[in-house]
Amino acid sequence: MTDIRKQVKHTLIEPVVIEGRTISELTFRRIKGKDIRDMEREESNLDKTAFMVCRLAGMPPELFDEMDAADIEAVGKIIEDFMGRKSRRRA
């Protein structure tokens, strides 16, 4: 069964301060075609991940640079699930 929730929340292990405010939770919206097109303009896989994390959470690019590695791994899995990559890996 596919999980098609419109949004997924992630509580950060380590809160981040961006533009003077403390961010302790991120809410990710689902991916749209325009997000994929724009992501493809990024050169490296890491830059693509950073782009999608910030775009889908509605945060500035500085967010990714301040995130804890464990949080990056966790939100990367959320994005993979949105793209359906999790189910393809099992096949």
Side-chain angles (χ1 to χ4, degrees):
M1 178 190 265
T2 303
D3 185 355
I4 57 169
R5 291 178 288 174
K6 296 281 185 191
Q7 296 181 333
V8 173
K9 292 186 181 199
H10 172 75
T11 301
L12 296 173
I13 295 167
E14 291 292 327
V16 175
V17 177
I18 299 293
E19 299 175 350
R21 65 179 196 168
T22 301
I23 309 297
S24 58
E25 182 178 78
L26 298 173
T27 301
F28 295 92
R29 64 169 175 79
R30 291 189 53 82
I31 299 170
K32 297 180 180 183
K34 64 183 176 181
D35 300 318
I36 296 170
R37 279 186 197 261
D38 291 345
M39 175 190 71
E40 289 303 317
R41 294 183 183 126
E42 301 296 326
E43 292 185 25
S44 72
N45 285 338
L46 184 58
D47 287 338
K48 289 177 183 192
T49 299
F51 172 83
M52 288 303 263
V53 166
C54 295
R55 167 77 70 96
L56 299 180
M59 292 287 171
E62 297 79 22
L63 170 79
F64 188 85
D65 293 338
E66 298 302 321
M67 287 177 65
D68 183 85
D71 285 317
I72 291 170
E73 183 177 351
V75 300
K77 289 177 183 175
I78 291 169
I79 292 168
E80 285 179 359
D81 288 349
F82 279 158
M83 294 185 80
R85 291 186 178 163
K86 184 177 181 180
S87 59
R88 278 188 241 155
R89 244 189 268 144
R90 291 183 185 164

